[in-house]
């Protein structure tokens, strides 16, 4: 069994709540004043204030979602468990519809494992933990029966594809003469 814990900061949640509430309060006062009869000539500004009011509400409400809280992943023999803020969910490895490992050009800094189960997507970030990322990704590939994709940089693949394309065009030019 492999466990992985993703820690989220309280300050991030509180910042989103504070900023969302402040935006909603400020823009809500503009909209309220417009409907009370003040600033009838500021229709466009009030329209934008109403849009920002909705955005502030969106920030405030979404700060309560489980992705803003700590998450624990337990990878067991037959299934894996995702423990979130308000409960836990159990998924079988056969339920995984897509599995990817995102590796930047400097692969020692961070890696991300993306697990898609139905309509839910789980991102497991690994900062300075390349060995742990490889271990979990290898375990998931083994349990799902997938072949792990080699960790090549996109720029190297693109440059090789471009070089191959240039070689083909040179050969075609020689054949045309």
């Amino acid at each position: 069994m492999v466990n992985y814990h993703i820690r989220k900061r309280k300050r991030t949640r509180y910042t989103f709540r504070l900023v969302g509430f402040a935006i909603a309060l400020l823009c809500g006062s503009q909209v309220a004043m417009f409907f009370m009869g003040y600033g009838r000539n500021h229709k466009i500004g009030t329209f934008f204030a109403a849009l920002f009011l909705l955005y502030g509400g969106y920030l405030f409400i979404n700060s309560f979602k489980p992705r803003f809280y700590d998450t624990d992943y337990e990878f067991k023999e037959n299934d894996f468990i995702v423990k979130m803020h308000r409960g836990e969910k159990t998924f079988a490895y056969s339920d995984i519809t897509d599995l990817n490992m995102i590796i930047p050009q400097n692969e020692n800094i961070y890696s991300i494992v993306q697990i898609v189960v139905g309509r839910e997507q789980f991102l497991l970030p690994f900062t300075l933990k390349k060995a742990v990322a490889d271990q979990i990704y290898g375990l998931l590939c083994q349990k799902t029966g997938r072949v792990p994709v080699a960790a090549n940089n996109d720029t190297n693949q693109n440059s090789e594809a471009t070089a191959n394309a240039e070689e083909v065009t040179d050969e075609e030019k020689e054949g045309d003469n």
Side-chain angles (χ1 to χ4, degrees):
M1 178 170 74
V2 178
N3 293 332
Y4 187 66
H5 177 77
I6 298 174
R7 183 178 172 272
K8 301 290 178 112
R9 294 187 178 114
K10 279 186 184 179
R11 288 180 287 179
T12 304
R13 287 193 300 269
Y14 295 144
T15 302
F16 271 91
R17 290 176 191 163
L18 180 67
V19 169
F21 183 73
I23 290 172
L25 184 66
L26 183 67
C27 295
S29 65
Q30 168 68 26
V31 172
M33 289 299 183
F34 178 78
F35 285 121
M36 289 174 53
Y38 301 102
R40 289 286 180 189
N41 297 329
H42 303 290
K43 292 177 182 158
I44 294 174
T46 304
F47 174 73
F48 283 116
L51 290 178
F52 280 118
L53 171 70
L54 293 174
Y55 180 67
Y58 173 80
L59 285 178
F60 184 78
I61 290 171
N62 279 334
S63 69
F64 291 99
K65 286 196 172 186
R67 70 172 177 250
F68 281 95
Y69 293 91
D70 291 357
T71 307
D72 289 321
Y73 292 89
E74 290 183 8
F75 299 99
K76 296 186 176 184
E77 188 66 33
N78 298 325
D79 57 0
F80 67 97
I81 300 171
V82 180
K83 294 181 181 179
M84 294 179 277
H85 177 64
R86 294 188 179 105
E88 61 183 46
K89 294 182 180 182
T90 303
F91 300 102
Y93 290 114
S94 60
D95 295 341
I96 295 176
T97 56
D98 193 18
L99 178 64
N100 295 313
M101 185 168 186
I102 302 164
I103 302 170
Q105 287 187 2
N106 187 356
E107 60 189 46
N108 293 326
I109 295 175
Y110 71 92
S111 299
I112 299 173
V113 174
Q114 176 192 22
I115 304 170
V116 179
V117 179
R119 295 185 69 198
E120 295 189 68
Q121 175 180 332
F122 301 103
L123 295 175
L124 285 75
F126 300 93
T127 305
L128 301 173
K129 299 177 185 173
K130 179 74 170 119
V132 178
D134 290 338
Q135 177 189 7
I136 291 178
Y137 182 66
L139 173 77
L140 289 170
C141 287
Q142 177 186 6
K143 297 292 184 180
T144 58
R146 299 173 192 247
V147 178
V149 178
N152 291 333
N153 293 336
D154 292 337
T155 56
N156 292 342
Q157 291 174 352
N158 291 338
S159 64
E160 290 173 4
T162 306
N164 291 338
E166 289 174 2
E167 290 174 5
V168 170
T169 55
D170 290 340
E171 293 175 72
E172 290 175 358
K173 288 180 184 177
E174 292 175 0
D176 290 339
N177 291 336

